[in-house]
């Protein structure tokens, strides 16, 4: 049985209800989390406020940095344990689960170093004045986290918020709470004061909604689906609470005829099969120069057929999807493709050891996907790559920008001029040239345009979003 973690103590929910925790590899229930409600959120916000007023706002940047660094080191000591927890809870193959735990530690390391380097400026103004700006924390920040990369998203969001001097109330996704509850416990062990990091588990429409509405929450960082992002934005607008939205994507990987295909092919595949395609920045659309469309698809098809899917502990190319409804969602997309006559190039294989009760999906490569079809427009959030061809650079740009999203893009070409032209013309938050960073790069600001959201997390840039700027004008004559 798992409890909320509020003011450095395990707390049962006010409702007395729990939710089952399911292993996606087997479909079996193996634990319980608290089904919390607005009362638990209120308790956590009060604990956070108390921490802010009594301790945290008096803690210097240097000391905050040291605490974050201690946590980073503690997390590294617990990588294997955290990876095992995540593997069972989220169905992540061992390598993926470990890399998430290492990335979490790296976020805290990066933000530890940033704590004492965030500062305002002095501004030239009229004679007789001195004007300066201070970067101040918002105060109590709310963090609503999805299930696909709980540890990484906690690291970038909570790590950045703490570094900027905020305290945090975290609502993990109901399918992925266990690793974050353990991380909060480890944070208390290295000396984070009670109330600095609080975790409240439960449903989005109960806990997440209560957190977004709570008048004591002074900034909300939301990572999740565009539809819930809209709800959060509406609720926050009622009290003019600032929001950072990290929403989905339908990110293109664009391959020109002069690309180095030996380098591109494994990266293209990894960008869609990593985490079984459940990655907001997955490279889920493949746009290929018509000159190399057939040979590239043939090569990718052969590689897709080699991919193996199975229980997380087998550490194959892909584990299961997170839950049955996600599996059904992918099946619905694939049956729509069939109805529309979209050809399938190849599929990987689910191994015989995979229990039928697990939530498995073979990686699938589709071709000639019409640009208006939902497979080219909507997030599948599963291992499905939709390929289409383009005639020239203008056509590639047109297709790349032809969705409501704009999170990440990958461009493969050896032509230096084209590399920059494409980077300029694609509407997205990140562009990778001759590589693709699905999720990677702690140092690199990350976020979207259009329906992929706004605000930036990761990198130093995130700290500006987690602070508010105060201008102080002193007239001294
Ligand atoms: P989701 O929007 O359903 O849930 C995200 C979080 O919001 C969960 O914690 C959930 O409990 C909570 N929530 C749900 N309803 C709520 C409500 N009414 N009020 C407040 N909170 C609520 O998304 P998901 O299914 O967990 O994750 C998949 C989505 O997240 C995909 O669209 C994916 O692209 C996106 N995502 C984006 C990024 C990014 O950085 N851009 C990263 C990871 C995932």
């Amino acid at each position: 049985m798992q409890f909320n973690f509020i003011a450095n103590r395990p707390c049962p929910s006010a409702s007395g209800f729990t939710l089952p925790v399911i292993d996606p590899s087997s479909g079996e229930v193996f634990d319980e989390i608290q089904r919390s409600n607005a009362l638990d959120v209120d308790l956590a916000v009060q604990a956070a406020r108390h921490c802010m007023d009594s301790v945290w706002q008096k803690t210097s940047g240097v000391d905050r940095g040291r605490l974050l660094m201690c946590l980073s080191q503690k997390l590294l000591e617990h990588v294997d344990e955290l990876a095992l927890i995540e593997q069972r809870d989220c169905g992540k193959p061992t390598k993926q689960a470990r890399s998430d735990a290492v990335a979490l530690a790296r976020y805290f390391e990066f933000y530890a170093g940033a704590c004492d380097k965030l500062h305002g400026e002095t501004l030239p103004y009229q004679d007789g004045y001195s004007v300066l700006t201070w970067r101040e924390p918002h105060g109590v920040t709310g963090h609503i986290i999805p299930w696909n990369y709980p540890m990484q998203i906690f690291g970038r969001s909570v790590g950045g918020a703490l570094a900027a001097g905020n305290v945090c109330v975290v609502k993990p996704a109901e399918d992925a709470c266990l690793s974050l509850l353990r991380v909060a416990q480890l944070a208390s062990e290295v000396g984070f004061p009670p109330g600095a990091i609080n975790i409240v588990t439960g449903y989005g429409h109960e806990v997440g909604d209560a957190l977004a509405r709570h008048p004591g929450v002074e900034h909300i960082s939301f990572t999740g689906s565009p539809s819930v992002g809209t709800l959060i934005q509406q609720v926050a607008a009622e009290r003019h609470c600032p929001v950072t939205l990290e929403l989905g994507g339908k990110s293109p990987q664009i391959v020109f005829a002069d690309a180095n295909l030996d380098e591109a092919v494994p990266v293209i595949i990894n960008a869609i099969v990593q985490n079984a395609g459940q990655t907001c920045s997955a490279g889920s659309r493949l746009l290929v120069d018509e000159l190399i469309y057939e040979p590239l698809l043939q090569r990718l098809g052969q590689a897709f057929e080699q991919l193996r899917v199975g229980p997380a502990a087998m550490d194959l190319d892909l584990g299961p999807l997170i839950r049955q409804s996600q599996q059904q969602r992918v099946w619905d997309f694939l049956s729509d493709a069939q109805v529309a006559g979209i050809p399938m190039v190849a599929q990987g294989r689910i191994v015989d050891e995979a229990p039928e009760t697990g939530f498995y999906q073979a990686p699938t490569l589709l071709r000639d996907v019409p640009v208006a079809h939902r497979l080219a427009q909507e997030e599948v959030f599963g291992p499905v790559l939709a390929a289409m061809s383009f005639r020239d650079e203008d056509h590639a740009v047109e297709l790349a920008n032809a969705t409501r999203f704009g999170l990440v893009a990958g461009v493969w070409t050896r032509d230096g001029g084209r590399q920059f032209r494409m980077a300029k013309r694609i509407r997205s938050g990140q562009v990778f040239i001759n590589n693709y960073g699905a999720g990677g790069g702690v140092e690199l600001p990350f976020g979207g345009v259009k329906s992929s959201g706004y605000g930036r997390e990761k990198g130093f840039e995130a700290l500006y979003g987690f602070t508010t700027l105060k201008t102080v004008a002193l007239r001294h004559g």
Side-chain angles (χ1 to χ4, degrees):
M1 165 86 79
Q2 304 288 327
F3 295 99
N4 290 330
F5 198 75
I6 299 174
N8 283 359
R9 284 204 312 268
C11 298
S13 64
S15 73
F17 293 123
T18 59
L19 297 173
V21 179
I22 295 170
D23 178 348
S25 294
S26 65
E28 283 166 9
V29 174
F30 69 96
D31 207 341
E32 285 173 279
I33 54 165
Q34 301 298 305
R35 178 179 169 183
S36 313
N37 61 27
L39 293 173
D40 304 293
V41 170
D42 189 49
L43 203 64
V45 173
Q46 281 184 40
R49 185 76 253 166
H50 180 70
C51 176
M52 186 73 191
D53 295 342
S54 59
V55 188
W56 202 239
Q57 70 179 3
K58 298 172 194 150
T59 306
S60 67
V62 181
D63 288 341
R64 276 204 312 278
R66 287 181 179 145
L67 258 183
L68 264 72
M69 195 61 201
C70 284
L71 178 55
S72 173
Q73 281 163 354
K74 185 91 169 173
L75 292 167
L76 283 177
E77 288 161 20
H78 288 262
V79 160
D80 290 336
E81 181 200 347
L82 290 166
L84 267 179
I85 293 173
E86 200 76 319
Q87 181 169 315
R88 186 120 197 246
D89 197 13
C90 302
K92 287 182 187 251
T94 314
K95 274 194 282 300
Q96 178 69 56
R98 272 189 65 86
S99 110
D100 284 8
V102 170
L104 167 68
R106 170 72 186 122
Y107 276 111
F108 278 92
E109 180 187 41
F110 178 85
Y111 284 119
C115 286
D116 57 358
K117 294 165 192 70
L118 181 65
H119 55 74
E121 295 179 325
T122 55
L123 308 178
Y125 192 52
Q126 298 167 13
D127 184 39
Y129 281 80
S130 286
V131 181
L132 60 146
T133 55
W134 289 333
R135 290 225 157 254
E136 297 185 334
H138 295 289
V140 178
T141 53
H143 303 259
I144 302 177
I145 296 186
W147 43 260
N148 56 346
Y149 290 90
M151 287 195 278
Q152 292 214 34
I153 294 170
F154 178 94
R156 76 183 193 204
S157 180
V158 172
L162 289 168
N166 301 280
V167 287
C168 304
V169 179
V170 180
K171 187 262 178 255
E174 44 274 44
D175 294 299
C177 296
L178 305 193
S179 59
L180 302 191
L181 288 167
R182 181 70 181 125
V183 170
Q185 202 176 30
L186 293 173
S188 77
E189 287 172 22
V190 299
F192 274 84
I197 304 174
N198 306 278
I199 314 270
V200 185
T201 65
Y203 285 128
H205 64 276
E206 294 177 344
V207 178
D209 183 68
L211 187 60
R213 284 180 196 280
H214 199 293
V217 173
E218 292 154 306
H219 178 276
I220 297 162
S221 165
F222 172 78
T223 304
S225 58
S227 55
V228 177
T230 305
L231 292 177
I232 303 277
Q233 209 172 358
Q234 284 166 345
V235 165
E238 294 282 325
R239 59 195 169 83
H240 310 112
C241 176
V243 176
T244 299
L245 296 178
E246 302 281 6
L247 309 176
K250 191 72 192 176
S251 299
Q253 306 194 69
I254 307 162
V255 190
F256 285 90
D258 66 344
N260 180 335
L261 295 187
D262 291 338
E263 286 183 5
V265 164
V267 177
I268 290 169
I269 293 170
N270 186 55
I272 186 63
V273 304
Q274 176 181 320
N275 209 37
Q278 304 166 116
T279 305
C280 53
S281 50
S284 54
R285 289 186 297 148
L286 180 66
L287 315 183
V288 186
D289 195 322
E290 60 187 10
L291 294 173
I292 56 161
Y293 190 54
E294 295 303 334
L296 180 58
L297 285 190
Q298 200 181 6
R299 223 168 138 168
L300 285 169
Q302 284 164 0
F304 262 66
E305 280 165 6
Q306 300 304 313
L307 294 169
R308 293 291 170 264
V309 189
M314 286 182 74
D315 202 19
L316 302 175
D317 303 303
L318 294 87
L321 301 175
I322 188 77
R323 59 176 180 241
Q324 203 277 322
S325 63
Q326 193 63 26
Q327 188 187 37
Q328 186 60 50
R329 178 182 162 88
V330 179
W331 289 348
D332 289 347
F333 271 98
L334 291 178
S335 78
D336 280 2
Q338 213 172 6
V339 171
I342 294 172
M344 182 191 293
V345 179
Q347 265 195 325
R349 190 169 68 79
I350 300 171
V351 298
D352 297 340
E353 293 86 340
E356 283 188 2
T357 46
F359 313 133
Y360 299 97
Q361 171 60 48
T364 305
L365 174 59
L366 302 172
R367 60 174 289 166
D368 311 340
V369 179
V371 66
H373 193 275
R374 66 190 284 248
L375 264 156
Q377 292 294 327
E378 293 173 31
E379 235 181 348
V380 177
F381 229 53
V384 180
L385 181 57
M388 61 194 84
S389 65
F390 62 81
R391 293 183 301 277
D392 53 24
E393 207 173 297
D394 285 343
H395 192 206
V397 171
E398 185 189 318
L399 291 176
N401 290 337
T403 74
R404 69 179 172 128
F405 295 109
L407 194 56
V408 174
V411 180
W412 293 88
T413 176
R414 289 177 161 109
D415 179 333
R418 179 185 280 149
Q419 291 169 356
F420 272 96
R421 284 194 301 275
M422 291 298 289
K424 271 189 188 286
R425 296 177 71 191
I426 291 171
R427 290 209 62 206
S428 68
Q430 288 194 321
V431 179
F432 290 92
I433 314 280
N434 293 333
N435 69 106
Y436 194 89
V442 167
E443 305 85 349
L444 313 182
F446 180 77
V449 298
K450 304 196 282 184
S451 286
S452 291
Y454 56 78
R456 293 292 177 266
E457 288 192 344
K458 303 173 54 162
F460 202 84
E461 185 72 23
L463 300 181
Y464 300 126
F466 284 121
T467 54
T468 177
L469 194 73
K470 182 180 278 174
T471 306
V472 181
L474 172 71
R475 187 170 66 83
H476 40 65

